[in-house]
Amino acid sequence: SKMTEVRIPSSSSCCFSSPEYARRTLPSSHSSQQPSQLAQASKAHVAPIKRLNVPAKNASFTGKRVSFPVFLLVFSLFCLLFLPAEGLPVVDKRRIRMFWVRHGQSCANIMDTCAAKPPHSNKLLEEVEAALKIFPGGKLAAATLSKEFGVAAATDKEADCTVSIENAELTGGPVVRVHDLYTDPTLTDCARKQSNHAGIAFMKWLRENDIVLDWIASSFLMRAVETARAMFIEPCLGEPPMMNCSHIFRYFNVEPIPYMTERAPPNLTPLQADNTPRPLEEQVKLIEELFGDESRVVQTFGHDWDRYAQNFEKFKALMSAVILPEATWLDWVEPNRADFRNGLEASLPKSMKHEDHFQNVSFTWKDSKFGMDGHYETGPTFSKEEWLNMPDRIVNVVVVGHNQMMMEYCQAGKPPKPNNNAVLEKLFHWEARTDTVDKSYGVRTILREMAEPCRLVMDAPSGADSMASLSLEDVEVCAAPLTVSNFLDLKPKEGDKEAPSKCEALSLKKDAYKIQGEFTEDQRWTLRERDHHRMLKVLDSTEEEFADLKSKGLVPEGLEWADLAGRNTPPSSTNEGVEGEDHEEGGDAEDDKEEEDDDDELEKPAEGAAEL
């Protein structure tokens, strides 16, 4: 097994009995074990001692036979007396693969199609007005709704239910979408089941490729928290569970994190209750009501961090300095969290435009844990090919978020928006070091990001298809602060009440959650191994298989079937123009020579293939 040696910055850094050293030099086969298992594994791990060629039982030391504990004691004293107090430099590097998942459909999402028409719509004004009274921050407590306007669709293009608010100062006018008044909506009943099926499909792919998740996170909004739990926790619980989740997780909880909360595009709406997390106490209570004692939602950041902000650069800094060290047990990197948070908030603006993405970001903070400054900076971008060729260990994280942010930071703000439950891949490279030239920093972390757009790993059914398939049973949970079914033209489910609804049935179709293109290949290979395997498939393909591989982009550019046509067709065995007598006189030697020539023809690749 490959060893990664990390020297610990302390006066005892040469003492290999350190449990911290043993933990960080474990073979890769131990990487998925929990701390308790690691402790047992580290006791048996003696690779550093073997490297020094120290006998297992006794050592010859100054001409005498000395027991190993005595040798270790003398060696430790040597470290304390002769090594510099500041210790040796420490450098650690990781590749980060972030699976960015869009949340399932929420109770607010499905209000995009308004079916409420006058005079029925006027009866709904009381319900909408009640939602105004509990709008976050109390800013609409004195507002009323125009009875003349009622509840209607704003334009032919805008199908949302809309109302006109009176007695309130609103930027952009009094007409707002009703779904913007739905505070922190949960998933629909159908979306929760769809998320279960999406999670099972994705986790099967993870297991097939030996990809282990180090950390699962979501935004602070309920629809993201629920999706993370429905995709990655629920399928593994129950008696029996929906699937066997062994060897998929190193950390089996969901952590809501700051800076990933959804914000509507500028000038779209003056109100965003649907993008405002409920108060923490209320949200914790709701999670307990929905999931009981087995919620496995851990509010590590809920009490002291900004639950309402969207800022991707701040998220990257948080991931680099706090989340990754926690997920990989690199305690020597993680700063004092309060000091880091204060430095982060003081150094970067509250919001940043996605157009400024990839600009250099750096800041320094006073850190009481290090006793000196901590430092974070972004480094140069890289391509996926470079990332695949990097030798550093991969840390796999899941973040369940929202379409606007995913479009901006995965697709440069360009449509289409990802489908609900779709999974994108975003790549980073992380480095932490203590050997800064001027010794001015305790720990310096550098985060680099892939310059290319995110890759789609797994697609999902479209939101439009899900909304068109809804029945009353699919939205029963959507009852507060608005009873969503009152605004939609929904019918009860037909047929067997125990059978899946039409909406859920979308997630049961073959390839409903299809793994895409390059991700259908074995993800355990290096780039060179992958390209070699691809070329073998191309060279051994039939004409139909070649066309299929070419349609998937797996055939090298410039290579055509005509270049390979002779390679997979055995040469003719007939001997035209040779009469029997002459053929017999030639004997077996001539036949052998012809067979050897045929073999050479088969083994010799086509000209284009040879170059590749």
Side-chain angles (χ1 to χ4, degrees), residues 29-43:
S29 60
H30 292 125
S31 60
S32 63
Q33 296 176 353
Q34 297 301 317
S36 60
Q37 296 170 300
L38 284 167
Q40 297 174 2
S42 63
K43 291 178 182 178

Side-chain angles (χ1 to χ4, degrees), residues 322-541:
V322 176
I323 292 170
L324 188 135
E326 178 187 314
T328 54
W329 309 329
L330 297 175
D331 301 333
W332 64 273
V333 178
E334 187 175 356
N336 178 282
R337 290 194 178 187
D339 294 339
F340 171 78
R341 183 186 68 243
N342 294 336
L344 176 62
E345 295 294 347
S347 302
L348 299 184
K350 187 172 182 62
S351 61
M352 300 175 73
K353 297 180 179 179
H354 76 89
E355 291 85 356
D356 299 328
H357 189 208
F358 294 125
Q359 291 190 3
N360 291 336
V361 172
S362 67
F363 65 92
T364 300
W365 68 94
K366 300 287 184 184
D367 198 286
S368 57
K369 177 180 176 181
F370 301 144
M372 54 200 313
D373 290 350
H375 181 79
Y376 164 80
E377 65 184 79
T378 56
T381 59
F382 54 82
S383 67
K384 179 161 186 177
E385 183 173 346
E386 291 177 275
W387 188 89
L388 288 170
N389 280 316
M390 294 174 184
D392 313 304
R393 179 201 148 188
I394 298 175
V395 179
N396 299 294
V397 301
V398 167
V399 177
V400 180
H402 306 271
N403 84 83
Q404 187 63 33
M405 202 171 187
M406 294 171 77
M407 285 175 59
E408 289 177 351
Y409 293 98
C410 271
Q411 302 165 193
K414 299 175 183 177
K417 62 184 180 183
N419 288 324
N420 299 100
N421 298 119
V423 182
L424 305 183
E425 177 197 64
K426 193 163 187 64
L427 304 176
F428 301 91
H429 183 266
W430 174 90
E431 179 179 336
R433 56 193 314 124
T434 62
D435 61 340
T436 52
V437 175
D438 57 1
K439 303 293 183 184
S440 58
Y441 305 132
V443 172
R444 175 185 175 208
T445 55
I446 305 164
L447 190 69
R448 300 170 59 201
E449 185 177 349
M450 184 176 74
E452 304 158 27
C454 300
R455 261 68 162 191
L456 177 63
V457 181
M458 185 183 81
D459 207 355
S462 74
D465 288 345
S466 293
M467 285 194 285
S469 306
L470 288 172
S471 63
L472 281 172
E473 289 80 2
D474 291 320
V475 299
E476 286 179 348
V477 72
C478 304
L482 298 168
T483 305
V484 171
S485 60
N486 291 340
F487 296 82
L488 306 177
D489 186 18
L490 302 180
K491 302 291 189 295
K493 184 172 67 173
E494 297 177 356
D496 185 0
K497 296 298 181 182
E498 299 301 320
S501 68
K502 289 182 179 179
C503 179
E504 184 186 356
L506 291 173
S507 62
L508 299 175
K509 291 182 178 180
K510 183 181 180 182
D511 292 335
Y513 302 101
K514 187 174 182 180
I515 301 300
Q516 303 294 301
E518 65 191 274
F519 298 99
T520 58
E521 299 186 66
D522 197 322
Q523 299 295 297
R524 291 168 289 193
W525 291 337
T526 65
L527 183 65
R528 184 170 181 174
E529 290 170 334
R530 186 200 70 187
D531 289 345
H532 177 70
H533 178 74
R534 281 186 182 178
M535 200 59 214
L536 286 177
K537 288 178 70 175
V538 170
L539 295 175
D540 292 338
S541 62

